[in-house]
Amino acid sequence: MERLIGLARATYPSVVFHQGSIDDLTGSTMQWDGILAWYSLIHLGPRELPQALAVLRAALKEDGSLLMSFFSGPLQESFNHPVTTAYRWPMADVVRIVTESGFGVTDEHDNPRTPHAYINARAATS
């Protein structure tokens, strides 16, 4: 991840990039223009994912963007992953949870031939 942050900083030197955990954002008063959650939410189950998305929403400025990737599948289910248990989610379930967390989904990509999916969303304005 550090290498990716380094590449982003070199490519866009006027943009401030930070790497952290969701726990770092909990209760923070800082707000961001965008958050990239690229396969960083895959270990969160049905109870944890909505809570994490609510924290991410609170950390975004109005109309801030979220790009998140996840493992997709026809059913919400856990599976063994090299790090720890991970989860597959149907796209419709993730869209619903993202929307209920205060986002408007602007784009979704789910290829039925692979287990990889992503969602672009904007923080809903009050």
Side-chain angles (χ1 to χ4, degrees):
M1 186 57 75
E2 305 244 346
R3 183 169 179 251
L4 292 175
I5 298 292
L7 288 170
R9 286 180 178 142
T11 305
Y12 302 99
S14 65
V15 176
V16 178
F17 293 91
H18 293 273
Q19 179 182 347
S21 72
I22 291 172
D23 290 338
D24 296 336
L25 296 173
T26 302
S28 173
T29 58
M30 293 189 70
Q31 291 200 302
W32 306 96
D33 291 310
I35 293 176
L36 173 64
W38 202 251
Y39 291 99
S40 56
L41 305 174
I42 63 170
H43 302 291
L44 303 179
R47 291 185 184 184
E48 298 89 7
L49 184 59
Q51 294 169 347
L53 286 167
V55 169
L56 295 179
R57 171 57 189 95
L60 281 172
K61 294 178 182 176
E62 294 297 320
D63 204 36
S65 64
L66 169 69
L67 173 56
M68 66 174 281
S69 59
F70 58 97
F71 293 114
S72 63
L75 302 172
Q76 188 277 310
E77 61 186 351
S78 62
F79 67 95
N80 290 329
H81 186 269
V83 176
T84 187
T85 301
Y87 293 85
R88 287 184 192 90
W89 294 85
M91 178 62 79
D93 289 358
V94 176
V95 168
R96 178 184 49 77
I97 294 168
V98 167
T99 302
E100 289 173 354
S101 299
F103 292 93
V105 173
T106 58
D107 186 30
E108 57 187 74
H109 178 77
D110 188 11
N111 183 341
R113 294 178 300 216
T114 71
H116 306 285
Y118 68 83
I119 287 179
N120 280 307
R122 291 250 174 229
T125 55
S126 307

